[in-house]
Amino acid sequence: MSIVNIYIHDENIYNVEKKPPEKPPKPPLYHSRFEHQVRQETKSCKDAHRTMGFSKIPLPGPADFLRKNCGPRHRATKSAPVRLCTGHKPPIPKPHEPSPCQVLKVVDFRKENIKKVVAANPKKPRPRYADTRKGDFHDLEKSGLMPIYMCQPKFGKVPQYLTRRKKDLAAQKDRLIEDRAQQQPRCSYILQEERVELLKGLKKNWEKLQQEYQSLPLLTDTVPKMIRKAKLENNLKQLEKDILTIENNPYIYLYDDDQKDA
């Protein structure tokens, strides 16, 4: 068993039970200096309604109950009588006289039908044709044997939609001709002075490329050297072709491709 001696410690018996913190005292209540004046004003205006009568009407006593014909009476205002019927009704018929509603007109329907049939137009028979000896009848109008379409007023005439279409096409052609006339020419002529300057510029470029080509090393053992040599050769060939075309063609026209795309 070992003994531990503690010489330095901060324990205190008085701090074992912690007391609740003391509440601070409440501040004194606020009292306005006009308190008495406000109370007097409210009291002075409190009974102002007494001059207007009772706040509540007192009820009548049990002996003063409401009797018959003692309450308030409302008299109706007299107005002129309104008549709903403006005219007089017809008198009642006598028992032996027939009423006007019972008088019926006797109609002879047989004679009326005969008159209608006589005045009606006769029904035309449908045109038919028989194609066999046994009497198989067919409609003649739908067969195509009758000249129905030839007798019409529109037969042999140009339809209206074709005339309208022709007019539209003619107007479209006229518009195209006007647009072409208003457009600027796509080709432009190169003057002789410009042609000479262009030749001089091409020849100068050819001389520069020729100097670069001649300054290349004789041994082309790497890929970049080979690519550069091939590029210079292609450029020289293209310049030679351009110089030949300009020298052989004294009249040169330039064509603008942008207007065509637009």
Side-chain angles (χ1 to χ4, degrees), residues 12-259:
N12 191 357
I13 299 171
Y14 297 103
N15 295 330
V16 173
E17 292 183 1
K18 292 184 179 180
K19 295 180 180 180
E22 295 181 358
K23 294 182 179 179
K26 292 183 179 180
L29 293 173
Y30 173 74
H31 294 282
S32 177
R33 59 182 179 178
F34 302 104
E35 185 177 358
H36 300 288
Q37 184 180 355
V38 171
R39 285 181 181 177
Q40 289 177 1
E41 288 178 357
T42 52
K43 284 181 180 180
S44 62
C45 298
K46 195 171 184 181
D47 299 333
H49 67 279
R50 289 183 180 179
T51 57
M52 302 296 291
F54 295 104
S55 60
K56 290 184 179 180
I57 298 171
L59 296 173
D64 298 334
F65 58 87
L66 188 63
R67 291 177 176 82
K68 187 178 180 181
N69 298 327
C70 292
R73 294 183 179 181
H74 301 283
R75 293 183 179 180
T77 57
K78 292 183 179 180
S79 59
V82 179
R83 291 184 179 181
L84 299 175
C85 298
T86 56
H88 296 285
K89 292 183 179 180
I92 298 170
K94 294 180 180 181
H96 299 289
E97 293 180 359
S99 61
C101 298
Q102 293 179 359
V103 176
L104 298 175
K105 186 179 180 181
V106 180
V107 181
D108 192 355
F109 293 101
R110 187 180 294 176
K111 291 182 180 179
E112 292 291 332
N113 292 335
I114 291 168
K115 288 179 182 179
K116 288 181 181 179
V117 170
V118 170
N121 294 323
K123 188 177 180 181
K124 293 181 180 180
R126 292 177 63 185
R128 298 182 298 172
Y129 73 98
D131 56 352
T132 59
R133 62 181 181 177
K134 292 182 180 180
D136 294 335
F137 294 101
H138 300 282
D139 195 358
L140 185 60
E141 292 180 356
K142 296 180 180 179
S143 64
L145 299 174
M146 292 180 68
I148 298 171
Y149 300 103
M150 289 176 63
C151 298
Q152 289 183 357
K154 295 181 180 180
F155 182 76
K157 294 182 180 180
V158 181
Q160 293 182 359
Y161 74 94
L162 287 176
T163 54
R164 288 197 300 269
R165 191 170 294 177
K166 286 180 180 179
K167 288 180 181 178
D168 295 339
L169 289 172
Q172 190 175 2
K173 285 182 181 179
D174 294 338
R175 285 197 297 271
L176 286 172
I177 292 166
E178 290 178 359
D179 293 339
R180 287 176 182 175
Q182 291 177 0
Q183 287 179 358
Q184 295 181 357
R186 295 179 182 176
C187 297
S188 60
Y189 175 68
I190 296 177
L191 300 175
Q192 292 296 328
E193 297 175 355
E194 295 177 354
R195 180 170 168 274
V196 172
E197 290 179 359
L198 186 61
L199 273 172
K200 288 181 181 179
L202 290 172
K203 287 178 180 179
K204 284 182 181 179
N205 292 333
W206 184 84
E207 289 175 359
K208 289 180 181 178
L209 289 174
Q210 186 68 18
Q211 288 179 1
E212 290 181 6
Y213 184 75
Q214 289 177 357
S215 62
L216 290 173
L218 297 174
L219 184 62
T220 55
D221 53 351
T222 59
V223 176
K225 290 180 181 180
M226 295 169 67
I227 292 170
R228 188 182 178 191
K229 184 179 179 182
K231 188 177 180 181
L232 289 171
E233 287 176 354
N234 292 329
N235 291 335
L236 285 169
K237 288 179 182 178
Q238 186 65 35
L239 284 171
E240 288 173 359
K241 285 182 182 179
D242 295 338
I243 290 166
L244 285 172
T245 52
I246 292 170
E247 286 179 349
N248 295 330
N249 299 312
Y251 303 103
I252 298 171
Y253 291 90
L254 290 177
Y255 186 76
D256 193 2
D257 293 334
D258 296 335
Q259 294 181 1

